[in-house]
Structures are given as structure tokens and as C-alpha cells.
Amino acid sequence: MEQALYVANAVSSGEGRNGRVTTGDGIIDLDLAIQKELGGPGGKANPEQLFAAGYAACFHSALQMIARAAKVDLGESTVEASVGIHKAGEGFGLSAILEVATPGAPREVAEGLVAKAHEVCPYSNATRGNIQVEVDLVQTA
């Protein structure tokens, strides 16, 4: 395995989805609750929200890196990630939809940048072939 450039550390305690997560540096310290849609009380963070936040930020960084290298202005770009949990066989699986807005770039240019970002984003690479990921370009110049 390659030497990591950075290692994040998080600990789950309590009852998993009805517990707490903390990072070693103390930046994340959250109570968790099972979503109402899954029969829990809701009202607190859940693992799918944390995954969606991480995927959105990571993909957005990859997109901005690719755009800078291509000298393309994306404008006030955004990436919205929606992560779903569903039954998969006897267990559960995830799916993700990324909605990308690049108001500063024309559609044909943005499509190429988004495709390249999907190739280099660590989250995209980790999920490729493991979960269904849909990437939609929702706004362009």
C-alpha cells in the first residue's frame, strides 16, 4: 500500500447509528441518530449525511483542480451529493447522485471537466464498481 499523504481518524462509540462519532483531533464530535425513514428518532447526524458531505467536498475539489489546470473559470461552482441507503441482498447498500453546477463554463467544456474530476476524485475511485454513482451537470454558462 502506498504511504498515505494524510490519515483521518474517527471513533464510533455508543450504539453505532444511535451513538457518537469523534475525530482524533476533536474537530468532529457528533451525536448520531437513526433516520426517521429507517425507524429511528432522527434529528441528529447520520453516516449517510457524513458520506454525502465528504463526497461533495472531495468531488468539488477535484473539479476545481481540473478546471485550474485547464484554465477554465467555473464561476460559483457547487457540488451537491445525495447519498441513499437501500436494501442490497441480505444487507444494505449505498447509492450516490452528484449534481454539479458550473455557471462560469459552457456545457461542452464543463462536461469534459466533470468527467475528468470523476476519474481523479478519491471518493469516485473508492466507490467505482462498488455502488451506483450518477453524476449530473445541472447548471452551466
Side-chain angles (χ1 to χ4, degrees):
M1 184 180 298
E2 297 273 334
Q3 183 175 351
L5 299 174
Y6 168 76
V7 175
N9 172 269
V11 174
S12 169
S13 59
E15 298 176 19
R17 288 178 171 271
N18 277 324
R20 184 174 202 79
V21 290
T22 57
T23 55
D25 58 12
I27 291 174
I28 295 175
D29 188 349
L30 296 172
D31 288 326
L32 302 177
I34 295 174
Q35 303 89 311
K36 286 183 180 182
E37 296 83 353
L38 298 179
K44 296 180 183 171
N46 63 67
E48 290 70 38
Q49 290 172 322
L50 297 172
F51 188 84
Y55 202 167
C58 189
F59 193 91
H60 199 197
S61 289
L63 177 63
Q64 290 176 342
M65 177 187 76
I66 296 297
R68 272 192 309 276
K71 296 181 176 24
V72 174
D73 181 6
L74 298 174
E76 292 293 318
S77 62
T78 60
V79 175
E80 179 179 339
S82 300
V83 172
I85 185 170
H86 49 85
K87 291 291 273 176
E90 294 192 26
F92 294 90
L94 298 175
S95 59
I97 299 171
L98 303 176
E99 293 181 325
V100 182
T102 60
R107 177 165 288 279
E108 59 277 358
V109 173
E111 286 174 347
L113 298 173
V114 167
K116 287 181 184 175
H118 196 39
E119 291 175 15
V120 302
C121 172
Y123 276 65
S124 292
N125 288 330
T127 59
R128 190 171 288 110
N130 296 310
I131 70 170
Q132 181 180 348
V133 177
E134 179 181 317
V135 182
D136 297 326
L137 192 54
V138 296
Q139 179 191 9
T140 59

